[in-house]
Amino acid sequence: MKYEVVIGLEVHAQLKTQSKIFCSCPTEFGRPANESTCPICLGMPGVLPVLNKTALQLAMQACLATHCSISPRNRFDRKNYFYPDLPKGYQVSQFEFPLGLNGYVNIQVNGTKKKIGLTRIHMEEDAGKLIHGENLGNPGKSYVDFNRTGVPLVEIVSEPDLRSAEEAREYLTQLKAILDYAEVSDCNMEEGSLRCDANVSLRPEGQKEFGTRTETKNLNSFRFVQKAIEYEIERQTQVLEQGDKVVQETRLYDSNKGVTFSMRSKEEAHDYRYFPEPDLVPVVIDDEWIQETQDKLPELPEQKRERFALDYEIPEYDAGVLTTSRAMADYYEKSVSLYPKPKIVSNWIMGELLRELKNDEREIDECSVKPEGLTDLLKLIDEGTINAKMAKTVFEDMYHSGKSAKDIIKEKGMTQITDSSAIENLVDQILQANADQVEQYKNGKEKVFGFLVGQIMKESKGQANPALVNKLLKERIG
Ligand code: ADP
Ligand code: MG
Ligand code: ZN
């Protein structure tokens, strides 16, 4: 039996505010445990929450940037459950009247474009964090840090429109880019600013009804999302193939073992007893405010991608990679303004620069080579000071040492040999040492030419100007 995969994602993004959603405690990451707390976010009796206007503003930006319509009347609801990281015994969220409805995100996988529907976007507060003593050399004890309680979030719920782990990853990539561009969230996955729950089900190909889904919670990297989904597809296929039924349940992903495991089944699922939050007034959002927010939205990834492809005449693929984050797009545009050869700049960023960043697991704004440094290097190639191959070595050095291209070239005496007589000497030397090959070349074995060029370049320690080597060699034996 062939099965079709059906996936819907729920994404939590932390809104980029200075203070929490209902009190003035700071949201700054990494502060000592429980220092960013007050009676409000600790859920003391008798306190009154007040909505942070910036949080609402950012949530509206998230809605508009994903083409959601904004509900004019917004209400918060209490979602009741007990957990040690939830001091109030309920989470303030939005249930019946979410802020945004019916949006979409466009994705592209293997050249095919697809629209992924968004069911809704709602605002809510985050819970705290449990720290288990095992990790502190204190087994058997658990601690709780309330710094995160009351940190503002949006939850973005997609329609079950995704059909593969790859599409899910692409959707997340696009969504993250949109939230980054619209300045809604810093989307830092290591710090928990972006987390994802993946709902996965299978159905026999051709069947209309959806199959039973599982929900794998709290995935905090793109790779884990993809791996967890792939694992679930595998697991559910086996279950169905054995004639069993998939159990609707919440699962967790163990990134060390690369498997998902059951956390709770549907029977144990919570009844949250939602009811309207009585301590907060409903918020009315008028058209003027919506329009103002819409007008202030910056250029979004999709528009930027199209503009890059058109204006810089680079392939769509390049434009896609270069616009995955605003910082990268800015880096690219700055570089092209300093060195107006768009495709060459694109090649260097996508090749050398991204490779180094990937190795280091760093973002482009943490890179010590700035657009000025990169384009200075490219100019040195054009001026003939170094060749492209040497430039790659210089770049690596620049990336790791933070030094300028000029300094590195000077220190290492790396200048390119462009003096014809010096190269002629090298050519002679190699021709003498390879008389057999020269004979073969003269008898029509053309491949030997490349071999001889290689030998000359090697003899020059990569410093000879390749175009000149080719030219002079051709003159001698061509
Ligand atoms: P819950 O609170 O139970 O998780 P939500 O409505 O918040 O429910 O989220 C449901 C998510 O699951 C949505 O992203 C939706 O697209 C997805 N989903 C619903 N049914 C299926 C299904 N059969 N297979 C895969 N995903 C599904
Ligand atoms: Mg859910
Ligand atoms: Zn507080």
Side-chain angles (χ1 to χ4, degrees):
M1 178 90 77
K2 290 259 317 172
Y3 296 102
E4 186 185 29
V5 178
V6 175
I7 302 164
L9 298 185
E10 295 162 74
V11 172
H12 286 94
Q14 179 176 336
L15 298 169
K16 222 179 351 189
T17 57
Q18 305 273 322
S19 54
K20 294 188 181 180
I21 186 167
F22 301 123
C23 63
S24 53
C25 291
T27 55
E28 192 193 324
F29 182 81
R31 298 197 61 196
N34 296 307
E35 285 203 359
S36 306
T37 56
C38 74
I40 294 176
C41 56
L42 287 175
M44 299 292 168
V47 296
L48 283 178
V50 176
L51 178 62
N52 179 338
K53 189 173 178 187
T54 307
L56 180 56
Q57 176 66 51
L58 296 178
M60 279 168 69
Q61 284 163 218
C63 293
L64 293 173
T66 52
H67 315 281
C68 286
S69 61
I70 296 213
S71 327
R73 203 178 150 79
N74 276 270
R75 197 187 70 199
F76 287 91
D77 297 291
R78 287 191 183 177
K79 179 180 182 178
N80 299 282
Y81 64 95
F82 172 80
Y83 205 69
D85 65 8
L86 191 73
K88 293 198 290 256
Y90 59 84
Q91 178 191 26
V92 179
S93 180
Q94 294 187 308
F95 184 60
E96 242 179 297
F97 300 103
L99 179 64
L101 286 169
N102 300 325
Y104 64 88
V105 169
N106 286 327
I107 65 166
Q108 191 167 353
V109 173
N110 301 327
T112 329
K113 291 190 174 136
K114 201 172 158 183
K115 200 175 245 184
I116 307 303
L118 298 187
T119 318
R120 64 170 202 270
I121 296 185
H122 68 253
M123 298 177 72
E124 62 186 27
E125 57 177 349
D126 207 351
K129 189 177 156 199
L130 288 182
I131 301 153
H132 298 293
E134 279 73 13
N135 307 325
L136 300 171
N138 203 353
K141 294 218 158 112
S142 285
Y143 303 84
V144 61
D145 177 1
F146 289 122
N147 283 351
R148 280 200 78 91
T149 55
V151 162
L153 307 176
V154 277
E155 179 173 339
I156 302 164
V157 182
S158 87
E159 290 286 301
D161 287 345
L162 299 157
R163 291 292 172 271
S164 67
E166 208 187 347
E167 282 189 13
R169 189 185 175 126
E170 181 56 21
Y171 163 78
L172 268 182
T173 305
Q174 293 311 321
L175 184 62
K176 182 179 170 192
I178 292 168
L179 297 175
D180 168 42
Y181 278 55
E183 295 183 331
V184 169
S185 171
D186 66 21
C187 298
N188 188 330
M189 296 190 93
E190 287 98 73
E191 295 180 2
S193 308
L194 197 72
R195 311 185 300 255
C196 175
D197 305 339
N199 296 272
V200 179
S201 69
L202 300 183
R203 63 178 168 189
E205 231 163 50
Q207 179 181 304
K208 255 190 103 136
E209 302 80 43
F210 288 143
T212 308
R213 71 175 153 124
T214 61
E215 177 177 358
T216 304
K217 278 210 167 293
N218 270 328
L219 298 160
N220 63 357
S221 88
F222 283 27
R223 203 161 50 86
F224 293 166
V225 172
Q226 182 159 3
K227 293 254 182 258
I229 291 174
E230 280 164 0
Y231 181 85
E232 266 307 285
I233 295 171
E234 235 351 268
R235 191 189 65 84
Q236 290 185 19
T237 305
Q238 278 180 24
V239 168
L240 294 175
E241 247 150 37
Q242 283 165 14
D244 291 336
K245 284 192 173 128
V246 172
V247 180
Q248 181 169 354
E249 61 187 356
T250 304
R251 299 177 72 87
L252 290 175
Y253 179 65
D254 180 335
S255 57
N256 292 322
K257 298 200 188 112
V259 302
T260 66
F261 59 94
S262 179
M263 180 176 133
R264 59 170 184 253
S265 73
K266 183 143 191 259
E267 287 75 50
E268 302 162 58
H270 294 111
D271 177 354
Y272 294 117
R273 301 271 160 168
Y274 282 99
F275 67 85
E277 164 61 64
D279 289 341
L280 288 162
V281 288
V283 184
V284 176
I285 299 174
D286 58 20
D287 289 344
E288 206 180 319
W289 190 6
I290 295 175
Q291 194 56 48
E292 211 175 278
T293 308
Q294 179 81 56
D295 293 345
K296 272 201 227 132
L297 278 185
E299 184 182 36
L300 293 172
E302 218 181 339
Q303 299 157 279
K304 205 181 279 272
R305 191 160 60 235
E306 280 165 15
R307 179 170 63 81
F308 274 22
L310 215 67
D311 288 4
Y312 297 124
E313 296 178 350
I314 51 174
E316 262 190 54
Y317 175 80
D318 294 39
V321 175
L322 295 168
T323 51
T324 41
S325 76
R326 196 158 151 168
M328 177 131 58
D330 289 347
Y331 191 105
Y332 177 71
E333 288 206 283
K334 174 85 198 185
S335 302
V336 173
S337 76
L338 296 167
Y339 181 83
K341 295 186 181 173
K343 180 59 182 156
I344 292 180
V345 175
S346 165
N347 289 346
W348 275 80
I349 293 179
M350 297 204 310
E352 305 312 303
L353 184 60
L354 284 187
R355 182 171 55 241
E356 295 289 351
L357 290 173
K358 204 168 167 187
N359 283 342
D360 281 5
E361 297 185 359
R362 278 217 191 130
E363 297 294 327
I364 201 158
D365 42 8
E366 303 166 282
C367 174
S368 59
V369 184
K370 302 292 172 211
E372 290 76 7
L374 173 65
T375 51
D376 279 349
L377 176 68
L378 300 182
K379 286 175 197 159
L380 291 171
I381 305 174
D382 287 0
E383 287 162 10
T385 312
I386 50 171
N387 62 43
K389 199 162 166 229
M390 290 155 81
K392 290 188 178 171
T393 323
V394 175
F395 179 81
E396 238 185 85
D397 203 335
M398 288 167 74
Y399 181 87
H400 293 287
S401 69
K403 289 182 192 156
S404 74
K406 284 213 172 85
D407 286 349
I408 291 165
I409 291 166
K410 205 156 110 197
E411 259 170 40
K412 299 203 165 158
M414 276 177 98
T415 34
Q416 177 170 233
I417 306 168
T418 48
D419 169 11
S420 304
S421 63
I423 294 179
E424 265 166 14
N425 284 339
L426 284 169
V427 173
D428 284 342
Q429 215 177 309
I430 294 302
L431 291 183
Q432 268 171 27
N434 296 279
D436 287 356
Q437 278 81 356
V438 175
E439 196 57 36
Q440 287 171 6
Y441 179 75
K442 288 188 170 151
N443 292 333
K445 205 171 164 198
E446 293 194 3
K447 270 205 313 216
V448 172
F449 192 82
F451 165 79
L452 292 170
V453 171
Q455 292 299 304
I456 297 163
M457 288 304 294
K458 198 166 151 199
E459 189 61 30
S460 78
K461 302 198 176 59
Q463 288 176 246
N465 176 324
L468 208 50
V469 169
N470 269 278
K471 178 169 165 270
L472 294 175
L473 185 62
K474 251 269 133 73
E475 282 172 13
R476 289 294 309 275
I477 60 171

